[in-house]
Structure formats: C-alpha cells, structure tokens
C-alpha cells in the first residue's frame, strides 16, 4: 500500500485506528476452543467486527510463534483474511544484517516465497543501516523502525544522551531518515510520552508514526494528536487489549466493535479539528 | 545446558566451534533438491559430518521463516536432530516487551508449547530490560544479547559515545550484567574487531561471548583468542559459510568436515596455549 492510499483510507474511514491482533489463546472466550484453530476463529470475528472502523491490523508474531507450526499456520490464515483496504503490519521487530535481513523481508513481504505479503514490518535499529535497507527494496512495502517505545525498559538505552545532548532515539530517526523516505519508512513512538512527540516531529515532520500505548498502556489520544498529528494525519494509533479483550464472553466481537467505535469517533473528532476531513 | 556442561564439552571436544546453519536453498548442492525437504536433508548431513568437532549449532531463523510454514517445518525437524551434547542457539535476534518477550521465550525454549527447545536465543537490546528478562526465567536457558556486531552498519549506533565517553555497546553490557549472570547471559561480539575484545572483557570478564565473523567476514581466530579468551575459554566462535558451503558438489559434507577439522585443530592449539586443556 502506498502512502497516498493509506491517507485516502484514513479519510474514507474517518479513522487512523490500528487493531493489534496479539491473540493469546489463554484470553479468548472458551467456546472458541472447540474449533480446530481457535486463534484464527477469534481473529476472523474480530476482523469482521472492526474492519470498517480501522485502517490497519497488526498481528504481533510472538503470539503465533509461541505455538510453533500450529501458530505459524494461524498467522498465515489470518493474513489471508486481512481486508485489502487495510494496511497490514507484521509486528515482528526483526533486525539482522544484509543477507539475513533480505530473508526476513522475503518472509513477511514476498507472498510467493513465504505465503505472507504484509505491507510493512516493524524493525529493530540496533544493528544499523544494513539491517533496515533490505526492507526498503520492496515496492510499496514499509519498514517501521523502533524509535521510542512505551515500555518500562525503554529508557535503558533509548534515552542515553550523546556528547551533543542528543538522545539515542533521536539519532535513530536522524540516520534512518537517510535510508528511506516518508513513502516507505515509519517510526514506532510510544504514546505514554505526549511531550516526546514534539521532539519526534522536529526530526520527522512528514513520516507516519505507529503509536502503541493508547488506552491499556496509559497514553491519551488527545495528547498524541496535539503533539503528533501532521497535515496528512501521520499517525496510526494502535489499540489491542481494550478492543480484542473487551469481553471474554460470547459477545466479544460485538463488544470489540463498541470499543472500536468509541476510538473511531474520537479520532474522527481529531481529524475534523485538524481540517483533514 | 548449564555453563559447567558447556565448558565440559569444550574440554572433551577440544573445540569451541559453533556451526551456523544459515541454510539457503539457492546455495545447497542441486542433488538435494530432489528430496521433500532439501534444507533439512542438507542440515542433517552437515550435522552428521561435524558434530564431533563443534560444541554448538546456530540456525538463523530468517533462513527458515523466509519459506513460511515449509521453512518453519525444516527448522523444527532440524532442531529435533541437533545432538544433545551440543549447545543449541536460535539466532532469532528477537526483542519485544514483557508479555510479548515471554511469548518469544516460549517459542524457542518451551518444547511442550512450540515444539522447539533451544538452549539459547539471540536477543536485541534496544527495548531494554523488560525485553530480555523474560528469557532469563527459564532454567538452564540463555539469552545471548547483541553487543557489538560485525556488520557495516554496526557503527551507526553501537559506537555512539555518551557524555562520559562510554560507547552504547559498553552501556548495553554494563546494564545487562545486572539482569543476568555468566550462567545465563552471553554477548554477541563481532570478530572483525580484535581490539574491541579488550574493552568487552573489561566489562564482562566471565561471560561467554558468541563470536561471528571469523573466516568469511575477515576476523582472525588468533586475535580473538588473544584478546577474548578467559580462564574457562569463554568463547563460542561461529563459522557458517566457510563450513557449510565448502563445496557445492556431492562431497559437500566431507568438505564441510575438512573445514571444521581445520578450525577445531586451530582451536585446540589455543586451548592448550591457555592451559585450558
């Protein structure tokens, strides 16, 4: 999917919601366990209930790999039913050097080889340029680089200041801006830090930002939009638990839809406020 | 596998060789393509030809994931035939937060859940403590943290100096030393930088180091041993291409063995020189 197509979807759906598919078999309604592939059945119902309200889906690969071959099968089947008008993100946080990064790109982008053809993949920056560049060789595919994450340990390294007082996550964005463009690069920025978006936007005014941490992790949608939105929206805000685990009963899909509607409505307000729609 | 068991294997086999199983279907002898699972058949013959000469095997997961379900099946089958006296490394370079890191640990450590029960996994440090700690909760399992890698892009971030002149890779080791111990933590240190081992050993005198980059990537075994060996050896030196692609003909396993013997003999010399055997 191109940047223009993504922006168009945001305007059509009046939403910049990304739904995380971190499907944990221990947390899904028990009646689904009778199916042959409960994780896939859960995802299918969540997707059906939310696809008109969100512009992206983001399965985290760890939740599939942890069941080995069976889990990889659920991921494969889930990818196959992701609506084509939604931006698909393999939240895999891969990072390896040149030749090996090529293999990871093939794993998540090249449907003919691997069976998976996601629009994008999350990538860890620690190994530097040659761990990211191979992902940018694929037409209309994206690398989403970890910049500033919202977890507790993020400060361990991401906030280290160099001799010029520049923090590591800023250096990551500065360098990565040379590797790609706003047409094929996004950054992950945790939403628990509203003020951090000011710094991020200084370095990356035009890039889309993938923002986890709104809702369950404590970030405020309004804060993120105040500091992080740009003229094209420039935000994909991810919600996972608040949507997919809105209910543990038979009504889980219905409740997921209700939660998604609340977020979509709040996002619509922000898009109107910013004169984007 | 415990640290004591690993050291014992090094003494028994007079070797600290790790064989990388980065098996690329485009590079393996063509006669293997007639088999149902050529990657597995290749690995099987490589393992049979080298298992008395090395103490570890390290499949890089990217080379399996790139073929989707079929590739994951090859990885599963390969794991099943890894000799139990060899330390097994899932070179997966995973890195995600708490709950998700738990899932990755399950994916590679918990045979009952995922089918895979590797002794260790390589981990990227960018997200900090909570991306590593979950791997250290498994008995006799190891996290191998990327510290200083041997690729071209490694200098992009790993060598950034903070206000006190300390480089990022040093900060990674300093912090990670608090998360685990030499009984469950190793560091990845690229071998193309002999002199860097002096700095590494200042921060991590007792830890094992996983060292890629000897041979094909230009590092010298003698340099690495001079600067990097400790009283327990403390090194796992990985060789991949020089061994597994020693020949592209029917004699590939035999030639792989010849290359492994050369490395084992050179390692034996270093172990004797250091009075370890």
């Amino acid at each position: 999917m191109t940047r223009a197509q993504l922006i168009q979807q945001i305007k059509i759906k009046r939403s910049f919601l990304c739904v995380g598919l971190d499907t944990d078999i221990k947390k899904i309604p028990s009646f689904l366990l009778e199916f042959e592939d409960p994780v896939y059945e859960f995802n299918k119902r969540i997707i059906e209930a939310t696809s008109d309200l969100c512009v992206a889906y983001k399965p985290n690969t760890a939740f599939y790999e942890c069941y080995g071959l069976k889990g990889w099968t659920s991921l494969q089947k889930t990818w196959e039913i992701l609506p084509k008008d939604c931006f698909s993100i393999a939240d895999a946080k891969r990072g390896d050097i040149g030749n090996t990064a090529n293999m990871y790109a093939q794993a998540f982008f090249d449907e003919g080889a691997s069976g998976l053809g996601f629009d994008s993949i999350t990538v860890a920056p620690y190994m530097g340029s040659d761990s990211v560049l191979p992902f940018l060789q694929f037409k209309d595919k994206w690398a989403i680089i970890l910049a500033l994450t919202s977890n507790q340990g993020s400060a361990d390294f991401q906030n280290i200041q160099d001799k010029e007082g520049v923090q590591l996550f800023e250096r990551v964005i500065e360098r990565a801006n040379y590797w790609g463009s706003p047409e094929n690069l996004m950054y992950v920025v945790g939403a628990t830090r509203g003020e951090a978006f000011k710094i991020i936007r200084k370095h990356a005014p035009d890039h889309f930002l993938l923002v986890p941490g709104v809702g369950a992790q404590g970030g405020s949608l309004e804060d993120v939009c105040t500091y992080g939105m740009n003229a094209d929206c420039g935000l994909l805000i991810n919600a996972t638990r608040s949507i997919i685990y809105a209910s543990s009963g038979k009504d889980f899909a219905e409740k997921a839809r209700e939660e998604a509607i609340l977020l979509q409505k709040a996002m619509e307000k922000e898009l109107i406020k910013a004169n984007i729609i």
Side-chain angles (χ1 to χ4, degrees), chain A:
Chain A
M1 184 180 283
T2 66
R3 188 168 186 276
Q5 288 166 336
L6 176 59
I7 294 167
Q8 192 187 20
Q9 284 303 316
I10 289 171
K11 289 177 179 172
I12 292 171
K13 292 185 170 171
R14 308 170 81 79
S15 165
F16 42 101
L17 177 62
C18 173
V19 175
L21 297 170
D22 303 4
T23 307
D24 184 343
I25 202 162
K26 295 187 196 84
K27 290 188 185 158
I28 67 178
S30 55
F31 80 92
L32 289 171
L33 301 179
E34 286 163 26
F35 286 86
E36 197 196 323
D37 188 341
V39 167
Y40 165 73
E41 295 294 336
F42 178 84
N43 289 348
K44 190 165 152 251
R45 287 162 176 75
I46 290 286
I47 292 166
E48 285 166 358
T50 58
S51 66
D52 59 324
L53 303 165
C54 69
V55 294
Y57 286 101
K58 180 176 77 64
N60 186 309
T61 55
F63 287 75
Y64 301 86
E65 291 176 38
C66 66
Y67 297 110
L69 270 173
K70 210 172 143 189
W72 206 264
T73 306
S74 304
L75 178 65
Q76 173 70 45
K77 285 163 67 186
T78 299
W79 181 77
E80 283 164 15
I81 57 162
L82 289 180
K84 291 296 166 259
D85 64 353
C86 288
F87 187 75
S88 57
I89 303 169
D91 192 2
K93 300 188 178 69
R94 298 299 194 259
D96 209 317
I97 59 173
N99 183 32
T100 311
N102 265 325
M103 297 290 182
Y104 278 131
Q106 184 180 313
F108 292 100
F109 289 166
D110 183 352
E111 192 183 352
S114 71
L116 298 175
F118 282 89
D119 291 310
S120 64
I121 180 175
T122 54
V123 177
Y126 190 74
M127 295 184 82
S129 58
D130 44 343
S131 67
V132 176
L133 288 168
F135 294 101
L136 303 176
Q137 308 306 314
F138 284 70
K139 193 173 173 313
D140 300 340
K141 303 284 183 179
W142 300 68
I144 308 180
I145 300 181
L146 299 179
L148 185 61
T149 58
S150 55
N151 61 310
Q152 208 187 344
S154 64
D156 282 335
F157 307 120
Q158 295 167 25
N159 296 118
I160 289 179
Q161 291 184 19
D162 67 13
K163 288 179 164 170
E164 289 148 27
V166 179
Q167 298 177 80
L168 178 61
F169 76 88
E170 298 181 76
R171 289 285 181 222
V172 166
I173 296 174
E174 268 183 19
R175 296 268 165 106
N177 279 342
Y178 288 100
W179 305 338
S181 76
E183 304 287 331
N184 62 2
L185 263 189
M186 298 189 187
Y187 296 106
V188 174
V189 182
T192 48
R193 313 176 167 207
E195 80 289 353
F197 282 86
K198 273 201 245 183
I199 307 177
I200 302 272
R201 279 298 180 209
K202 203 176 68 185
H203 298 290
D206 300 324
H207 289 76
F208 264 85
L209 308 178
L210 173 62
V211 185
V214 168
Q217 287 175 56
S220 139
L221 176 66
E222 217 180 327
D223 272 7
V224 172
C225 292
T226 303
Y227 298 113
M229 198 173 255
N230 66 20
D232 297 313
C233 177
L235 295 170
L236 288 176
I237 294 202
N238 183 75
T240 301
R241 282 168 281 177
S242 64
I243 293 179
I244 71 174
Y245 302 133
S247 158
S248 58
K250 287 220 167 189
D251 61 349
F252 75 97
E254 201 183 306
K255 293 292 177 192
R257 181 168 179 79
E258 286 174 17
E259 285 296 320
I261 288 174
L262 288 178
L263 278 166
Q264 183 271 322
K265 289 287 172 213
M267 289 178 181
E268 183 173 35
K269 225 163 90 179
E270 296 293 336
L271 288 168
I272 291 169
K273 204 159 72 180
N275 287 317
I276 294 169
I277 53 173

